[in-house]
Amino acid sequence: MSSNPSSFQEEKRQSPVAILIILQRLFVMIIKSAWPVFVFYFINPQSKFEYIMTLIGIGAVALSTVGSLISYFTFYFRLEETELVMRSGLINKTFRTIPFDRIQTISFTQNIIHRVFNVVQLDLDTAGSSGSELAIKALSHQEANAIKAYILDRKATLPTQTEAIEISNEADNPVQQGRLLLHLSVPDLLKIGVSQNHLRTVGIMLAFILGLSQYADELLSKEKEEAIWLFIFGSAVIIALLTVLLFVGAFFLSLLNTVLRYYDLSLLQSDGGYTITAGLFTKTEQSAQHQKIQLLEWRNNPIKRLFGISTLYLKQAASATLKNKSTLVVPGCYLPQIEAVRDSYFSNFNKDDFKEYVISPLVIGRIVLYLGVVPALIFCSINFMKTWWALLFLAWIPIVWMLARLYYKKWRYAISPKGIYLTKGFLGQRAAILRWYKVQSVTLKQSPFQRRKDLATLEFSTAGGNLTVPYIPLAHAKELKDYVLYAVEQSKEKWM
Amino acid sequence: MLFQNNPIDLTTLPQLEHIQMKSLSPAYLKVSYLGTTIFFIMLAIILMAVRFFAEFDIPFRVELGIVGGWLLLLVLSLWHTYEDFQIQGFAIRERDLTYRSGVFFRSTTVIPYNRIQHAEVKQGPIERRFNLQRLEIYSAGGDGSDLYIPGLPGNRADQLKDYIIEKAGKHEQ
């Protein structure tokens, strides 16, 4: 390699092409944030639209030019023996240090401007939260390659890293052939399709129907008696037909979606991790290495429970921007498959190691108050002027009360020296399992109500998502927090 | 390594409650007051601009109400700033870092050093005037698992950052 490592030690700027790239980004951002102005002038067409547009355009160009120049000339980076040091900012100064052994992926991206000038953007991902990534917006190919080689080289020589090689490129290290855990048959596929969440579709339908009735109201005030009745009857028929049609349509749509996405799904387990392949026309493959899996979750709904299936989520460590993509979703898992995955994540899983606890029943009152009483009273008082029927909104309160009781009854969490296992849900069931050494931080939260009642909510953050245990006695929460911190600080196991 | 699973007496574990939280630099209270005041002055300017350019008449009673509301909110915000300052605090232990905040919804977050990804020191223009720094500590957990400790005097944040980074490095083995 032609690169001289000592040259990295000096502070460097990005390639000047970065100015263009930042400029383009800022410009788009400014234009996007000006949308209320466009909306305003769309409503008020008599105003001087072109004049305002020109003003916004000139302003955006000027602002983004100045911004990109400042951003370019104040951004410096240099590579040290074990870390990358960056500083930037004119008024708000930022100094950032990224140790090489925290860097998970190094990737190059190019947009059209990059391609024209033959440069790349270098992204360093540290599997942390959004603040911990670093993008060097423009570098020549040669320089970017040299930096990547240098970082990988330094990583490999660092004594702390044993599996540094797998980090360089995920595609290089596919999970090997292994045991077939799950293969979805056509009946399985139908079960999954039927038990999809149709509630969302119902929500869309309701919004549609409400919109229609609003329109009807407006017409009603203008038309004559006869026409009114005809209209009511007509629209009722239309609405009923539409409802049925929409519902049937939604049902088949989600069925079709299921078949397209999960056709021929198979879950492979091997020494390296898990691999899922699925799809009818476009076959997708996703994999998760064992050590990257942070926590496991599985959920069902009443229909899924009838079929005895659950959806399993393998939550992997990834940067904030990738968080959703990095979760492996396995629909249609039966109990044996869930247990197989659970046992490999939580080695020697034994129910007897766990001690079970319940949450405080006071949670019922809070749910009823915030989700039941408050919205019911608001809707009731808004509509009370119009009609006495508004009192029907109050029926919402006992419904919420019943659901809240179910929620309380189903909430269970069990603690073992190695981790936590919890189950919860309203109508369906959700379960999650987490090992202590995967925990990144612990937060104890208290609302004013919880402070009065000596309760607390405990939150465990992991690189794959958070786990929250609400409404537990304060003393127990503190004890648990200290215990988990102790477990994390003692552990020698690598969380990834 | 064999997994050891000795029973642990919970009462012997180090308890967070036994250590004293360090509060932020008193200068930070001034910075916070200043920030709040500037925000309300900006708000007043915007309101006055609306009043000045508005083509419709605003009744005197409404004007009085808005001025009253502005004053009330200003006082409440200043009170909140003060209370918040009283509650904000951090603690440094051998193996972890704690930060507490929140007047109404209180939260205490703890990050063990062996889970810290990286740390940053930041300083805004007002903070520079008052010789204050802000320390930001990132773990690999999602939103809400990062710590922001504002109002550290002098180069305390730099020192803390070096200390934490060193600790974080040492725990990796």
Side-chain angles (χ1 to χ4, degrees):
Chain A
M1 187 100 341
S2 61
S3 71
N4 174 14
S6 65
S7 70
F8 292 135
Q9 306 269 356
E10 299 157 19
E11 276 202 325
K12 268 191 187 169
R13 288 216 180 100
Q14 308 165 90
S15 154
V17 183
I19 301 175
L20 264 180
I21 287 153
I22 304 165
L23 192 135
Q24 175 231 352
R25 219 166 275 175
L26 276 175
F27 185 74
V28 171
M29 207 176 75
I30 292 168
I31 292 295
K32 265 187 190 161
S33 55
W35 67 266
V37 180
F38 296 120
V39 172
F40 182 74
Y41 284 96
F42 185 70
I43 298 165
N44 256 10
Q46 69 267 48
S47 336
K48 295 169 184 166
F49 186 66
E50 278 162 42
Y51 175 65
I52 293 292
M53 279 284 285
T54 327
L55 260 183
I56 289 177
I58 292 170
V61 169
L63 267 176
S64 47
T65 308
V66 173
S68 58
L69 284 173
I70 289 175
S71 162
Y72 171 74
F73 282 107
T74 57
F75 185 100
Y76 294 96
F77 67 96
R78 69 169 194 272
L79 293 136
E80 304 231 323
E81 290 290 298
T82 57
E83 59 200 14
L84 186 141
V85 183
M86 177 278 275
R87 69 188 174 96
S88 72
L90 181 70
I91 297 167
N92 267 313
K93 291 210 158 110
T94 300
F95 298 91
R96 187 175 295 176
T97 311
I98 302 181
F100 291 154
D101 56 350
R102 306 283 181 182
I103 294 172
Q104 298 303 328
T105 48
I106 303 169
S107 52
F108 300 161
T109 48
Q110 280 187 310
N111 68 18
I112 191 105
I113 300 176
H114 286 105
R115 238 169 268 161
V116 169
F117 291 95
N118 197 26
V119 291
V120 293
Q121 168 166 329
L122 184 76
D123 290 306
L124 299 176
D125 187 359
T126 56
S129 40
S130 48
S132 66
E133 295 125 2
L134 181 70
I136 298 176
K137 299 206 179 58
L139 281 173
S140 68
H141 265 292
Q142 196 195 0
E143 206 170 5
N145 275 321
I147 288 173
K148 184 182 176 183
Y150 178 74
I151 292 176
L152 287 179
D153 186 46
R154 296 298 312 167
K155 261 170 86 73
T157 57
L158 286 175
T160 56
Q161 276 292 342
T162 44
E163 74 272 66
I165 311 102
E166 57 104 354
I167 282 146
S168 63
N169 205 337
E170 246 151 72
D172 289 346
N173 185 25
V175 182
Q176 297 114 11
Q177 289 296 308
R179 185 159 79 97
L180 184 68
L181 262 188
L182 174 73
H183 184 257
L184 287 186
S185 62
V186 174
D188 286 336
L189 220 54
L190 287 180
K191 282 182 194 171
I192 297 167
V194 170
S195 62
Q196 290 289 51
N197 188 0
H198 299 293
L199 224 64
R200 230 171 307 152
T201 331
V202 172
I204 297 166
M205 264 162 42
L206 280 180
F208 187 77
I209 291 164
L210 283 178
L212 260 178
S213 66
Q214 191 101 39
Y215 182 60
D217 266 353
E218 267 172 36
L219 275 179
L220 281 181
S221 57
K222 292 173 191 163
E223 296 295 322
K224 287 175 196 162
E225 193 97 346
E226 271 171 83
I228 291 170
W229 285 109
L230 195 70
F231 184 79
I232 290 178
F233 181 72
S235 54
V237 168
I238 290 169
I239 287 169
L241 270 174
L242 274 177
T243 309
V244 171
L245 246 161
L246 270 173
F247 198 75
V248 171
F251 178 80
F252 280 104
L253 218 68
S254 51
L255 201 64
L256 185 73
N257 187 28
T258 307
V259 171
L260 285 178
R261 274 177 64 188
Y262 301 133
Y263 179 78
D264 200 27
L265 180 141
S266 60
L267 176 68
L268 272 168
Q269 187 186 35
S270 71
D271 295 341
Y274 299 94
T275 312
I276 285 188
T277 51
L280 187 60
F281 297 119
T282 48
K283 216 166 179 78
T284 54
E285 187 180 307
Q286 254 188 311
S287 58
Q289 290 156 353
H290 283 303
Q291 74 268 20
K292 278 205 171 185
I293 295 170
Q294 302 296 311
L295 84 154
L296 294 182
E297 232 182 86
W298 54 99
R299 301 178 196 164
N300 62 27
N301 59 28
I303 302 171
K304 285 200 165 75
R305 196 160 55 191
L306 211 65
F307 293 138
I309 55 172
S310 301
T311 309
L312 177 68
Y313 299 82
L314 305 162
K315 299 201 166 175
Q316 290 193 85
S319 61
T321 41
L322 285 173
K323 206 127 267 174
N324 280 329
K325 282 185 215 154
S326 64
T327 299
L328 241 64
V329 184
V330 195
C333 272
Y334 292 90
L335 200 59
Q337 282 113 29
I338 289 175
E339 280 175 351
V341 175
R342 181 197 67 193
D343 291 350
S344 110
Y345 168 78
F346 204 102
S347 52
N348 303 321
F349 181 86
N350 184 359
K351 273 226 153 92
D352 299 336
D353 292 343
F354 287 89
K355 194 165 175 232
E356 201 178 77
Y357 299 91
V358 294
I359 59 171
S360 163
L362 290 172
V363 74
I364 301 175
R366 286 288 117 171
I367 294 177
V368 170
L369 180 63
Y370 291 130
L371 298 178
V373 175
V374 171
L377 283 183
I378 289 172
F379 277 101
C380 197
S381 51
I382 288 172
N383 293 301
F384 197 67
M385 314 287 195
K386 294 185 199 160
T387 161
W388 283 86
W389 287 98
L391 283 175
L392 270 178
F393 280 112
L394 294 180
W396 175 245
I397 298 172
I399 296 173
V400 172
W401 178 72
M402 265 159 34
L403 286 173
R405 266 174 56 99
L406 265 176
Y407 178 78
Y408 161 70
K409 277 189 180 165
K410 284 193 172 176
W411 235 109
R412 292 273 187 286
Y413 66 102
I415 305 293
S416 93
K418 282 162 69 185
I420 181 170
Y421 172 70
L422 59 86
T423 54
K424 60 174 178 177
F426 281 106
L427 299 170
Q429 182 102 20
R430 279 173 175 219
I433 194 161
L434 168 67
R435 297 204 47 179
W436 293 138
Y437 77 92
K438 302 278 188 186
V439 169
Q440 301 290 336
S441 74
V442 184
T443 305
L444 193 142
K445 291 181 176 171
Q446 277 191 303
S447 67
F449 174 77
Q450 286 176 322
R451 272 209 297 282
R452 273 204 307 278
K453 301 286 181 189
D454 261 341
L455 295 170
T457 292
L458 207 55
E459 202 171 86
F460 303 111
S461 295
T462 80
N466 293 0
L467 209 68
T468 309
V469 185
Y471 285 83
I472 58 176
L474 181 62
H476 185 238
K478 283 180 173 171
E479 213 173 68
L480 193 55
K481 181 188 66 182
D482 287 333
Y483 181 71
V484 173
L485 286 172
Y486 165 81
V488 172
E489 286 155 15
Q490 287 293 306
S491 93
K492 295 269 185 279
E493 282 171 279
K494 290 186 100 56
W495 61 270
M496 194 172 79
Chain B
M1 199 191 83
L2 269 172
F3 181 74
Q4 291 197 330
N5 198 0
N6 303 323
I8 285 151
D9 183 6
L10 281 178
T11 54
T12 63
L13 284 180
Q15 283 176 23
L16 200 54
E17 277 53 53
H18 289 169
I19 49 160
Q20 195 72 44
M21 288 274 186
K22 270 182 111 64
S23 45
L24 309 176
S25 160
Y28 179 64
L29 183 60
K30 287 185 205 156
V31 172
S32 307
Y33 279 148
L34 205 62
T36 311
T37 315
I38 289 172
F39 173 78
F40 273 89
I41 288 171
M42 301 275 259
L43 193 70
I45 290 170
I46 292 171
L47 286 175
M48 280 195 274
V50 169
R51 165 76 183 77
F52 187 73
F53 291 109
E55 296 191 349
F56 44 88
D57 282 332
I58 301 169
F60 182 66
R61 247 186 294 166
V62 174
E63 275 181 353
L64 213 63
I66 289 173
V67 171
W70 181 85
L71 262 174
L72 188 72
L73 278 176
L74 175 63
V75 171
L76 279 177
S77 301
L78 288 176
W79 169 81
H80 182 269
T81 307
Y82 176 76
E83 288 293 315
D84 206 22
F85 178 77
Q86 299 299 317
I87 283 151
Q88 278 168 314
F90 65 99
I92 295 153
R93 298 200 294 180
E94 220 174 296
R95 285 165 178 277
D96 53 34
L97 187 83
T98 306
Y99 180 66
R100 181 184 63 190
S101 69
V103 177
F104 299 109
F105 294 88
R106 195 157 304 164
S107 82
T108 310
T109 301
V110 190
I111 303 186
Y113 294 139
N114 58 353
R115 292 293 181 270
I116 287 172
Q117 288 285 315
H118 82 285
E120 264 175 54
V121 173
K122 285 190 179 170
Q123 195 175 41
I126 301 178
E127 286 164 318
R128 205 172 311 162
R129 267 284 157 80
F130 285 86
N131 195 22
L132 290 174
Q133 287 183 326
R134 190 167 53 194
L135 180 63
E136 303 191 347
I137 291 159
Y138 297 91
S139 79
D143 299 334
S145 71
D146 306 322
L147 283 192
Y148 304 100
I149 305 178
L152 294 168
N155 61 346
R156 177 75 55 79
D158 283 323
Q159 292 169 352
L160 261 177
K161 189 188 111 179
D162 292 344
Y163 174 78
I164 287 163
I165 293 283
E166 193 210 320
K167 283 276 189 186
K170 214 174 262 177
H171 279 287
E172 287 261 313
Q173 29 192 280

